[in-house]
Amino acid sequence: METLILAVVIAVVAVAAAAGLVVTGRRRKELPAPKAQPQITKPADQRTVEPTAEPQVGEDAAVGAPEERRTLEDVTLPTDTETAAAAEAARTAEAAEVAEAEAAPELEVPEPTAGRLVRLRSRLARSQNTLGKGLLSLLSRDRLDEDTWEEIEELLLTADVGVAPTQELVERLRTRVKVLGTRTPDELRGLLREELVALIDPSLDRSLHVARHDEETPARPAVLLVVGVNGVGKTTTSGKLARVLVADGHTVVLGAADTFRAAAADQLQTWGERVGARTVRGPEAGDPASVAFDAVKEGIAEGADTVLVDTAGRLHTKTGLMDELGKVKRVVEKHGPVDEVLLVLDATTGQNGLVQAKVFAEVVDITGIVLTKLDGTAKGGIVVSVQRQLGVPVKLIGLGEGADDLAPFEPGAFVDALLG
Ligand code: GDP
Protein backbone atom coordinates (compact mmCIF):
# COMPACT_ATOMS: atom_id res chain seq x y z
CA MET A 1 0.00 0.00 0.00
CA GLU A 2 2.81 2.33 0.99
CA THR A 3 4.54 1.59 -2.32
CA LEU A 4 1.34 2.44 -4.19
CA ILE A 5 0.99 5.81 -2.39
CA LEU A 6 4.66 6.59 -3.08
CA ALA A 7 4.20 5.79 -6.78
CA VAL A 8 1.13 8.03 -7.00
CA VAL A 9 3.01 10.91 -5.31
CA ILE A 10 5.98 10.53 -7.70
CA ALA A 11 3.64 10.50 -10.72
CA VAL A 12 1.82 13.65 -9.56
CA VAL A 13 5.14 15.43 -8.92
CA ALA A 14 6.39 14.45 -12.40
CA VAL A 15 3.24 15.80 -14.10
CA ALA A 16 3.46 18.99 -12.08
CA ALA A 17 7.12 19.50 -12.95
CA ALA A 18 6.40 18.96 -16.65
CA ALA A 19 3.55 21.49 -16.57
CA GLY A 20 5.79 23.90 -14.69
CA LEU A 21 8.50 23.64 -17.37
CA VAL A 22 6.01 24.31 -20.17
CA VAL A 23 4.88 27.43 -18.37
CA THR A 24 8.52 28.42 -17.76
CA GLY A 25 9.30 28.10 -21.47
CA ARG A 26 6.29 30.06 -22.63
CA ARG A 27 6.18 32.78 -20.00
CA ARG A 28 9.83 33.37 -19.33
CA LYS A 29 9.45 37.14 -19.18
CA GLU A 30 6.76 36.99 -16.47
CA LEU A 31 8.87 35.00 -14.04
CA PRO A 32 10.70 36.68 -11.17
CA ALA A 33 14.46 37.25 -11.38
CA PRO A 34 16.47 34.05 -11.07
CA LYS A 35 17.84 33.13 -7.67
CA ALA A 36 19.92 30.15 -8.58
CA GLN A 37 22.54 29.27 -11.20
CA PRO A 38 21.41 30.27 -14.74
CA GLN A 39 20.27 27.40 -16.89
CA ILE A 40 21.83 26.96 -20.29
CA THR A 41 19.43 27.09 -23.20
CA LYS A 42 19.79 27.79 -26.89
CA PRO A 43 16.56 29.15 -28.31
CA ALA A 44 16.20 28.15 -31.94
CA ASP A 45 15.43 31.60 -33.26
CA GLN A 46 17.61 33.90 -31.20
CA ARG A 47 21.12 32.94 -30.25
CA THR A 48 22.81 34.67 -27.41
CA VAL A 49 26.37 34.31 -26.26
CA GLU A 50 28.48 33.98 -23.16
CA PRO A 51 29.91 37.46 -22.65
CA THR A 52 33.21 36.67 -20.95
CA ALA A 53 35.08 33.50 -21.93
CA GLU A 54 36.83 33.29 -25.29
CA PRO A 55 35.18 30.43 -27.17
CA GLN A 56 37.03 27.61 -28.88
CA VAL A 57 36.15 25.68 -32.01
CA GLY A 58 34.04 22.66 -31.11
CA GLU A 59 32.85 24.42 -28.00
CA ASP A 60 29.27 25.57 -27.62
CA ALA A 61 29.62 29.31 -27.19
CA ALA A 62 25.90 30.05 -27.26
CA VAL A 63 24.10 30.23 -23.97
CA GLY A 64 20.71 31.61 -23.34
CA ALA A 65 19.29 34.30 -21.11
CA PRO A 66 19.30 33.34 -17.43
CA GLU A 67 16.35 31.17 -16.60
CA GLU A 68 15.15 29.51 -13.42
CA ARG A 69 16.40 26.19 -12.33
CA ARG A 70 13.48 24.65 -10.53
CA THR A 71 14.05 22.10 -7.84
CA LEU A 72 11.43 19.68 -6.57
CA GLU A 73 11.21 21.70 -3.33
CA ASP A 74 10.17 24.76 -5.36
CA VAL A 75 7.31 22.99 -7.02
CA THR A 76 3.93 23.27 -5.39
CA LEU A 77 1.55 20.74 -6.79
CA PRO A 78 -0.93 22.26 -9.23
CA THR A 79 -4.62 21.51 -9.04
CA ASP A 80 -6.37 19.81 -11.97
CA THR A 81 -7.69 23.18 -13.09
CA GLU A 82 -4.15 24.65 -13.11
CA THR A 83 -2.79 21.69 -15.10
CA ALA A 84 -5.61 22.03 -17.63
CA ALA A 85 -4.99 25.78 -17.83
CA ALA A 86 -1.27 25.17 -18.45
CA ALA A 87 -2.05 22.72 -21.23
CA GLU A 88 -4.52 25.17 -22.75
CA ALA A 89 -1.91 27.97 -22.55
CA ALA A 90 0.60 25.75 -24.31
CA ARG A 91 -1.92 24.97 -27.08
CA THR A 92 -2.76 28.67 -27.51
CA ALA A 93 0.92 29.63 -27.69
CA GLU A 94 1.62 26.92 -30.27
CA ALA A 95 -1.36 28.06 -32.35
CA ALA A 96 -0.04 31.64 -32.15
CA GLU A 97 3.40 30.49 -33.34
CA VAL A 98 1.90 28.63 -36.29
CA ALA A 99 -0.22 31.68 -37.19
CA GLU A 100 2.87 33.91 -36.95
CA ALA A 101 4.88 31.61 -39.20
CA GLU A 102 2.04 31.52 -41.71
CA ALA A 103 1.71 35.30 -41.64
CA ALA A 104 5.49 35.83 -42.14
CA PRO A 105 6.04 38.40 -44.88
CA GLU A 106 7.21 37.14 -48.23
CA LEU A 107 10.90 37.46 -48.84
CA GLU A 108 11.98 40.41 -50.94
CA VAL A 109 13.93 39.90 -54.14
CA PRO A 110 16.75 42.46 -54.14
CA GLU A 111 17.65 44.23 -57.36
CA PRO A 112 20.46 42.60 -59.34
CA THR A 113 23.82 44.19 -58.65
CA ALA A 114 25.19 44.23 -62.19
CA GLY A 115 24.94 47.73 -63.56
CA ARG A 116 23.57 49.17 -60.32
CA LEU A 117 25.94 52.11 -60.48
CA VAL A 118 24.72 52.96 -63.95
CA ARG A 119 21.12 52.87 -62.71
CA LEU A 120 22.01 55.00 -59.69
CA ARG A 121 24.14 57.41 -61.66
CA SER A 122 21.65 60.28 -61.39
CA ARG A 123 22.23 60.24 -57.60
CA LEU A 124 25.92 60.81 -58.19
CA ALA A 125 25.42 63.30 -60.98
CA ARG A 126 23.24 65.46 -58.71
CA SER A 127 25.86 65.73 -56.00
CA GLN A 128 29.02 65.64 -58.10
CA ASN A 129 28.05 68.03 -60.87
CA THR A 130 30.26 70.78 -59.54
CA LEU A 131 33.34 68.67 -60.07
CA GLY A 132 32.68 67.14 -63.49
CA LYS A 133 30.91 70.06 -65.11
CA GLY A 134 33.30 72.55 -63.48
CA LEU A 135 36.35 70.76 -64.86
CA LEU A 136 34.85 70.53 -68.33
CA SER A 137 33.93 74.20 -68.45
CA LEU A 138 37.35 75.35 -67.19
CA LEU A 139 39.18 73.16 -69.72
CA SER A 140 36.97 74.56 -72.49
CA ARG A 141 38.16 78.12 -71.97
CA ASP A 142 39.84 79.71 -74.98
CA ARG A 143 42.97 80.49 -73.05
CA LEU A 144 44.27 78.01 -70.51
CA ASP A 145 46.49 80.35 -68.49
CA GLU A 146 48.05 79.88 -65.05
CA ASP A 147 44.94 81.24 -63.32
CA THR A 148 42.74 78.68 -65.07
CA TRP A 149 45.04 75.80 -64.08
CA GLU A 150 44.96 77.09 -60.51
CA GLU A 151 41.17 77.11 -60.62
CA ILE A 152 41.21 73.52 -61.88
CA GLU A 153 43.53 72.58 -59.03
CA GLU A 154 41.27 74.26 -56.48
CA LEU A 155 38.24 72.49 -57.82
CA LEU A 156 39.93 69.12 -57.43
CA LEU A 157 41.14 69.94 -53.92
CA THR A 158 37.67 71.10 -52.86
CA ALA A 159 36.29 67.79 -54.05
CA ASP A 160 38.75 65.99 -51.71
CA VAL A 161 40.88 64.47 -54.45
CA GLY A 162 43.95 65.12 -52.29
CA VAL A 163 47.09 67.15 -52.95
CA ALA A 164 49.37 64.64 -54.66
CA PRO A 165 46.71 63.13 -56.98
CA THR A 166 45.53 66.66 -57.88
CA GLN A 167 49.02 67.75 -58.89
CA GLU A 168 49.50 64.56 -60.87
CA LEU A 169 46.24 65.02 -62.73
CA VAL A 170 46.84 68.68 -63.50
CA GLU A 171 50.31 67.88 -64.80
CA ARG A 172 49.01 65.19 -67.14
CA LEU A 173 46.12 67.36 -68.34
CA ARG A 174 48.47 70.25 -69.11
CA THR A 175 50.70 68.04 -71.21
CA ARG A 176 47.88 66.36 -73.07
CA VAL A 177 45.94 69.58 -73.75
CA LYS A 178 49.11 71.15 -75.18
CA VAL A 179 49.62 68.17 -77.48
CA LEU A 180 45.97 68.29 -78.50
CA GLY A 181 46.15 71.93 -79.69
CA THR A 182 42.61 72.90 -80.57
CA ARG A 183 40.04 71.25 -78.31
CA THR A 184 36.54 70.16 -79.18
CA PRO A 185 34.19 69.52 -76.24
CA ASP A 186 34.08 65.81 -77.12
CA GLU A 187 37.85 65.53 -77.20
CA LEU A 188 38.13 67.29 -73.84
CA ARG A 189 35.51 65.08 -72.31
CA GLY A 190 37.25 61.96 -73.57
CA LEU A 191 40.61 63.12 -72.32
CA LEU A 192 39.29 64.07 -68.90
CA ARG A 193 37.42 60.77 -68.61
CA GLU A 194 40.57 58.82 -69.41
CA GLU A 195 42.67 60.72 -66.88
CA LEU A 196 40.08 60.54 -64.09
CA VAL A 197 39.62 56.79 -64.60
CA ALA A 198 43.39 56.34 -64.54
CA LEU A 199 43.54 58.30 -61.28
CA ILE A 200 40.98 55.96 -59.71
CA ASP A 201 43.04 53.01 -60.96
CA PRO A 202 40.87 50.53 -62.84
CA SER A 203 43.48 47.80 -62.36
CA LEU A 204 42.67 47.36 -58.65
CA ASP A 205 40.84 44.16 -57.70
CA ARG A 206 37.44 45.31 -56.47
CA SER A 207 35.81 41.90 -56.23
CA LEU A 208 34.46 40.76 -52.88
CA HIS A 209 35.76 37.44 -51.58
CA VAL A 210 32.49 35.90 -50.58
CA ALA A 211 32.67 32.30 -51.81
CA ARG A 212 32.42 29.43 -49.33
CA HIS A 213 35.62 27.45 -48.70
CA ASP A 214 34.42 24.14 -50.06
CA GLU A 215 37.94 22.75 -49.95
CA GLU A 216 37.73 22.62 -46.14
CA THR A 217 35.86 19.98 -44.14
CA PRO A 218 33.34 21.00 -43.03
CA ALA A 219 32.97 23.68 -45.71
CA ARG A 220 33.48 27.09 -44.12
CA PRO A 221 31.70 30.24 -45.22
CA ALA A 222 33.65 33.27 -46.35
CA VAL A 223 33.83 35.70 -43.44
CA LEU A 224 33.46 39.46 -43.91
CA LEU A 225 34.00 41.91 -41.06
CA VAL A 226 32.33 45.30 -41.49
CA VAL A 227 34.17 47.97 -39.48
CA GLY A 228 33.89 51.73 -39.08
CA VAL A 229 33.00 54.52 -36.69
CA ASN A 230 29.42 54.78 -35.39
CA GLY A 231 27.12 56.80 -37.60
CA VAL A 232 28.96 56.24 -40.88
CA GLY A 233 26.27 53.81 -42.03
CA LYS A 234 27.92 50.55 -40.97
CA THR A 235 24.81 48.62 -39.95
CA THR A 236 22.81 49.93 -42.91
CA THR A 237 25.68 48.91 -45.18
CA SER A 238 25.82 45.42 -43.64
CA GLY A 239 22.10 45.05 -44.31
CA LYS A 240 22.37 46.37 -47.85
CA LEU A 241 25.40 44.16 -48.47
CA ALA A 242 23.43 41.10 -47.35
CA ARG A 243 20.96 42.05 -50.08
CA VAL A 244 23.76 42.48 -52.63
CA LEU A 245 25.02 38.99 -51.78
CA VAL A 246 21.55 37.40 -51.84
CA ALA A 247 20.86 39.15 -55.16
CA ASP A 248 24.01 37.51 -56.52
CA GLY A 249 22.82 34.07 -55.37
CA HIS A 250 24.69 33.67 -52.08
CA THR A 251 23.30 32.39 -48.78
CA VAL A 252 24.16 34.70 -45.91
CA VAL A 253 24.31 34.65 -42.10
CA LEU A 254 24.57 37.98 -40.29
CA GLY A 255 26.46 38.51 -37.03
CA ALA A 256 25.25 41.41 -34.88
CA ALA A 257 28.55 42.07 -33.11
CA ASP A 258 27.74 45.76 -32.58
CA THR A 259 26.49 44.95 -29.10
CA PHE A 260 27.06 48.47 -27.80
CA ARG A 261 24.43 50.33 -29.80
CA ALA A 262 21.14 49.04 -28.47
CA ALA A 263 19.22 49.24 -31.74
CA ALA A 264 21.94 47.87 -34.01
CA ALA A 265 21.07 44.17 -33.60
CA ASP A 266 17.35 44.77 -34.18
CA GLN A 267 18.16 46.93 -37.20
CA LEU A 268 20.39 44.21 -38.66
CA GLN A 269 17.91 41.45 -37.95
CA THR A 270 15.19 43.37 -39.79
CA TRP A 271 17.47 43.72 -42.83
CA GLY A 272 18.25 39.99 -42.68
CA GLU A 273 14.63 38.90 -42.33
CA ARG A 274 13.69 40.79 -45.47
CA VAL A 275 15.95 38.54 -47.56
CA GLY A 276 15.81 35.36 -45.47
CA ALA A 277 19.23 35.71 -43.80
CA ARG A 278 19.48 34.57 -40.19
CA THR A 279 20.98 37.01 -37.68
CA VAL A 280 23.07 35.72 -34.79
CA ARG A 281 22.98 38.11 -31.87
CA GLY A 282 24.06 38.30 -28.25
CA PRO A 283 22.93 40.07 -25.12
CA GLU A 284 23.12 43.87 -25.09
CA ALA A 285 26.63 45.00 -24.10
CA GLY A 286 27.79 41.38 -24.44
CA ASP A 287 31.11 40.32 -25.89
CA PRO A 288 31.24 41.18 -29.64
CA ALA A 289 33.91 38.53 -30.27
CA SER A 290 31.63 35.77 -28.98
CA VAL A 291 28.80 36.90 -31.24
CA ALA A 292 31.16 36.96 -34.21
CA PHE A 293 32.44 33.47 -33.31
CA ASP A 294 28.90 32.13 -32.99
CA ALA A 295 27.86 33.71 -36.28
CA VAL A 296 30.61 31.84 -38.12
CA LYS A 297 29.69 28.65 -36.26
CA GLU A 298 26.09 29.10 -37.37
CA GLY A 299 27.26 29.78 -40.93
CA ILE A 300 29.19 26.49 -40.93
CA ALA A 301 26.17 24.63 -39.51
CA GLU A 302 23.87 26.10 -42.16
CA GLY A 303 26.35 25.55 -44.98
CA ALA A 304 26.07 29.28 -45.77
CA ASP A 305 28.28 30.91 -48.40
CA THR A 306 29.04 34.07 -46.48
CA VAL A 307 28.99 35.34 -42.90
CA LEU A 308 28.76 39.10 -42.55
CA VAL A 309 29.74 40.49 -39.16
CA ASP A 310 28.69 44.02 -38.19
CA THR A 311 31.14 45.26 -35.52
CA ALA A 312 30.96 48.11 -33.02
CA GLY A 313 32.77 51.33 -33.90
CA ARG A 314 33.57 53.16 -30.72
CA LEU A 315 36.56 55.30 -31.36
CA HIS A 316 37.13 57.11 -28.11
CA THR A 317 40.49 55.49 -27.59
CA LYS A 318 42.65 53.83 -30.16
CA THR A 319 43.71 51.19 -27.66
CA GLY A 320 40.10 50.29 -26.90
CA LEU A 321 39.34 49.93 -30.58
CA MET A 322 42.47 47.94 -31.16
CA ASP A 323 41.66 45.57 -28.29
CA GLU A 324 38.08 45.06 -29.39
CA LEU A 325 38.53 44.68 -33.13
CA GLY A 326 41.71 42.70 -32.64
CA LYS A 327 39.86 40.30 -30.37
CA VAL A 328 36.91 39.93 -32.77
CA LYS A 329 39.29 39.05 -35.58
CA ARG A 330 41.39 36.72 -33.45
CA VAL A 331 38.39 34.85 -32.11
CA VAL A 332 36.71 34.53 -35.53
CA GLU A 333 39.99 33.22 -36.93
CA LYS A 334 39.76 30.21 -34.63
CA HIS A 335 37.45 28.94 -37.37
CA GLY A 336 39.80 30.05 -40.18
CA PRO A 337 41.11 33.27 -41.79
CA VAL A 338 38.85 36.28 -42.31
CA ASP A 339 38.26 36.84 -46.04
CA GLU A 340 37.43 40.55 -46.11
CA VAL A 341 37.61 43.46 -43.72
CA LEU A 342 35.48 46.24 -45.17
CA LEU A 343 35.97 49.73 -43.79
CA VAL A 344 32.85 51.88 -44.02
CA LEU A 345 33.54 55.61 -44.41
CA ASP A 346 31.08 58.48 -44.62
CA ALA A 347 32.03 60.45 -47.75
CA THR A 348 30.59 63.65 -46.30
CA THR A 349 33.19 63.75 -43.49
CA GLY A 350 36.12 64.55 -45.80
CA GLN A 351 39.49 64.75 -44.07
CA ASN A 352 38.03 63.49 -40.81
CA GLY A 353 37.08 60.30 -42.61
CA LEU A 354 40.63 59.88 -43.81
CA VAL A 355 41.98 60.22 -40.28
CA GLN A 356 39.54 57.52 -39.12
CA ALA A 357 40.55 55.32 -42.02
CA LYS A 358 44.20 55.48 -41.00
CA VAL A 359 43.41 54.53 -37.40
CA PHE A 360 41.43 51.48 -38.53
CA ALA A 361 44.11 50.48 -41.00
CA GLU A 362 46.61 50.36 -38.13
CA VAL A 363 44.35 48.01 -36.18
CA VAL A 364 43.17 45.54 -38.85
CA ASP A 365 44.19 44.75 -42.43
CA ILE A 366 41.53 46.52 -44.45
CA THR A 367 40.80 44.73 -47.73
CA GLY A 368 38.18 47.10 -49.12
CA ILE A 369 36.47 50.43 -48.55
CA VAL A 370 32.78 51.19 -48.64
CA LEU A 371 32.09 54.89 -49.18
CA THR A 372 28.61 55.80 -47.98
CA LYS A 373 26.46 58.90 -48.52
CA LEU A 374 28.04 59.82 -51.85
CA ASP A 375 24.56 60.97 -52.81
CA GLY A 376 24.81 63.81 -50.32
CA THR A 377 28.18 65.37 -51.04
CA ALA A 378 30.10 67.03 -53.83
CA LYS A 379 33.32 65.54 -52.46
CA GLY A 380 33.50 62.44 -54.63
CA GLY A 381 37.25 62.94 -54.92
CA ILE A 382 37.57 61.11 -51.61
CA VAL A 383 37.44 57.91 -53.67
CA VAL A 384 40.87 58.80 -54.99
CA SER A 385 42.43 60.09 -51.78
CA VAL A 386 41.28 57.25 -49.55
CA GLN A 387 42.54 54.63 -51.98
CA ARG A 388 45.88 56.40 -52.19
CA GLN A 389 46.24 56.79 -48.44
CA LEU A 390 45.33 53.22 -47.56
CA GLY A 391 46.46 51.45 -50.70
CA VAL A 392 43.13 49.61 -50.66
CA PRO A 393 40.39 49.78 -53.32
CA VAL A 394 36.93 51.27 -52.88
CA LYS A 395 34.71 48.22 -53.48
CA LEU A 396 31.21 49.54 -52.85
CA ILE A 397 29.52 52.92 -52.67
CA GLY A 398 26.36 54.01 -50.87
CA LEU A 399 24.08 56.26 -52.87
CA GLY A 400 21.02 56.67 -50.70
CA GLU A 401 18.98 55.30 -47.85
CA GLY A 402 16.99 52.85 -49.99
CA ALA A 403 17.51 49.11 -49.55
CA ASP A 404 19.22 48.66 -52.91
CA ASP A 405 21.17 51.92 -52.91
CA LEU A 406 24.54 50.20 -52.47
CA ALA A 407 26.46 49.57 -55.67
CA PRO A 408 29.65 47.73 -56.58
CA PHE A 409 32.14 50.46 -57.47
CA GLU A 410 33.02 50.76 -61.15
CA PRO A 411 35.54 53.50 -62.04
CA GLY A 412 34.22 54.05 -65.59
CA ALA A 413 30.56 54.40 -64.57
CA PHE A 414 31.59 56.63 -61.65
CA VAL A 415 33.52 59.02 -63.87
CA ASP A 416 30.72 59.05 -66.45
CA ALA A 417 28.34 60.13 -63.69
CA LEU A 418 30.77 62.87 -62.61
CA LEU A 419 31.01 64.25 -66.11
CA GLY A 420 27.22 64.19 -66.54
P1 GDP B 1 26.18 52.99 -37.97
O1 GDP B 1 26.11 53.64 -36.63
O2 GDP B 1 27.50 53.21 -38.61
O3 GDP B 1 25.80 51.55 -37.96
O4 GDP B 1 25.15 53.80 -38.90
P2 GDP B 1 23.72 53.40 -39.49
O5 GDP B 1 23.84 52.21 -40.37
O6 GDP B 1 22.73 53.34 -38.40
O7 GDP B 1 23.43 54.65 -40.47
C1 GDP B 1 23.39 55.97 -40.03
C2 GDP B 1 22.51 56.79 -40.99
O8 GDP B 1 23.14 56.91 -42.25
C3 GDP B 1 21.15 56.16 -41.27
O9 GDP B 1 20.17 57.15 -41.22
C4 GDP B 1 21.29 55.62 -42.69
O10 GDP B 1 20.07 55.55 -43.38
C5 GDP B 1 22.22 56.64 -43.30
N1 GDP B 1 22.92 56.14 -44.48
C6 GDP B 1 23.68 55.03 -44.58
N2 GDP B 1 24.18 54.91 -45.83
C7 GDP B 1 23.72 55.97 -46.56
C8 GDP B 1 23.89 56.42 -47.92
O11 GDP B 1 24.60 55.82 -48.74
N3 GDP B 1 23.25 57.58 -48.26
C9 GDP B 1 22.50 58.28 -47.39
N4 GDP B 1 21.92 59.40 -47.82
N5 GDP B 1 22.32 57.90 -46.11
C10 GDP B 1 22.91 56.75 -45.69
Side-chain angles (χ1 to χ4, degrees):
M1 186 62 188
E2 264 175 28
T3 323
L4 188 62
I5 292 170
L6 192 62
V8 168
V9 169
I10 289 172
V12 170
V13 168
V15 167
L21 283 176
V22 169
V23 174
T24 306
R26 302 284 174 207
R27 297 199 206 139
R28 202 180 311 155
K29 285 198 180 103
E30 293 162 27
L31 289 166
K35 290 177 287 196
Q37 192 69 12
Q39 196 173 356
I40 294 178
T41 59
K42 194 197 289 178
D45 58 349
Q46 186 182 328
R47 291 174 168 242
T48 48
V49 291
E50 174 70 61
T52 45
E54 225 177 73
Q56 302 292 333
V57 172
E59 204 178 72
D60 195 352
V63 296
E67 213 178 277
E68 255 90 324
R69 167 170 293 171
R70 293 195 164 207
T71 62
L72 281 187
E73 292 81 34
D74 292 336
V75 178
T76 43
L77 296 185
T79 62
D80 283 353
T81 326
E82 281 170 337
T83 311
E88 181 54 31
R91 271 196 299 277
T92 314
E94 259 157 38
E97 270 171 19
V98 170
E100 199 181 306
E102 279 170 359
E106 277 193 18
L107 294 185
E108 293 176 20
V109 181
E111 260 182 40
T113 54
R116 257 197 208 187
L117 186 46
V118 174
R119 280 198 300 283
L120 292 168
R121 116 187 211 165
S122 63
R123 305 269 174 83
L124 260 179
R126 257 201 317 270
S127 56
Q128 310 293 330
N129 257 351
T130 357
L131 178 61
K133 293 259 163 60
L135 284 175
L136 276 176
S137 92
L138 284 169
L139 285 170
S140 308
R141 282 186 185 168
D142 288 339
R143 261 175 49 81
L144 287 175
D145 54 16
E146 277 312 308
D147 286 350
T148 311
W149 286 112
E150 258 173 44
E151 278 183 65
I152 290 174
E153 223 174 84
E154 257 166 53
L155 198 58
L156 290 164
L157 289 174
T158 318
D160 271 344
V161 172
V163 178
T166 294
Q167 284 168 353
E168 240 172 70
L169 180 66
V170 168
E171 211 45 55
R172 290 186 57 84
L173 286 174
R174 283 181 91 135
T175 315
R176 291 194 63 184
V177 166
K178 210 181 281 170
V179 172
L180 203 63
T182 48
R183 294 152 277 140
T184 67
D186 275 356
E187 276 170 337
L188 275 181
R189 196 179 184 287
L191 187 148
L192 193 55
R193 183 184 191 279
E194 240 177 78
E195 291 301 332
L196 284 172
V197 170
L199 203 64
I200 296 171
D201 197 350
S203 69
L204 294 176
D205 175 15
R206 295 174 201 276
S207 59
L208 287 173
H209 300 109
V210 291
R212 191 177 50 208
H213 298 277
D214 284 328
E215 72 285 1
E216 295 179 23
T217 316
R220 188 173 55 88
V223 177
L224 275 71
L225 297 185
V226 182
V227 306
V229 174
N230 285 344
V232 292
K234 199 164 32 63
T235 304
T236 312
T237 297
S238 303
K240 288 178 182 172
L241 184 52
R243 294 177 70 90
V244 164
L245 298 175
V246 169
D248 289 345
H250 298 283
T251 48
V252 179
V253 168
L254 290 163
D258 184 353
T259 54
F260 292 91
R261 191 160 64 83
D266 289 341
Q267 206 181 319
L268 195 67
Q269 190 167 348
T270 305
W271 279 102
E273 279 166 359
R274 290 169 67 178
V275 288
R278 181 195 266 274
T279 301
V280 174
R281 45 192 295 179
E284 216 174 295
D287 179 18
S290 289
V291 179
F293 179 88
D294 248 14
V296 179
K297 192 169 153 227
E298 176 63 26
I300 295 171
E302 284 189 18
D305 295 312
T306 318
V307 174
L308 205 58
V309 180
D310 179 26
T311 63
R314 300 165 310 148
L315 233 196
H316 36 253
T317 64
K318 200 169 117 187
T319 335
L321 176 80
M322 191 143 5
D323 287 351
E324 193 173 291
L325 265 187
K327 185 177 173 197
V328 167
K329 191 153 182 275
R330 199 176 65 242
V331 168
V332 162
E333 287 189 333
K334 287 179 180 172
H335 290 292
V338 165
D339 295 82
E340 292 267 1
V341 180
L342 295 176
L343 173 67
V344 183
L345 286 179
D346 177 342
T348 64
T349 58
Q351 290 307 311
N352 200 4
L354 292 178
V355 174
Q356 288 167 20
K358 280 192 196 150
V359 173
F360 275 92
E362 283 172 32
V363 179
V364 273
D365 286 336
I366 312 284
T367 59
I369 298 155
V370 185
L371 267 182
T372 59
K373 311 187 194 180
L374 267 171
D375 52 311
T377 173
K379 294 177 176 291
I382 195 166
V383 169
V384 176
S385 41
V386 74
Q387 283 189 166
R388 286 286 177 102
Q389 299 231 2
L390 299 190
V392 172
V394 170
K395 292 193 168 177
L396 294 154
I397 55 174
L399 290 163
E401 297 194 71
D404 291 326
D405 292 347
L406 182 75
F409 183 69
E410 301 161 48
F414 181 75
V415 171
D416 284 339
L418 291 195
L419 296 176

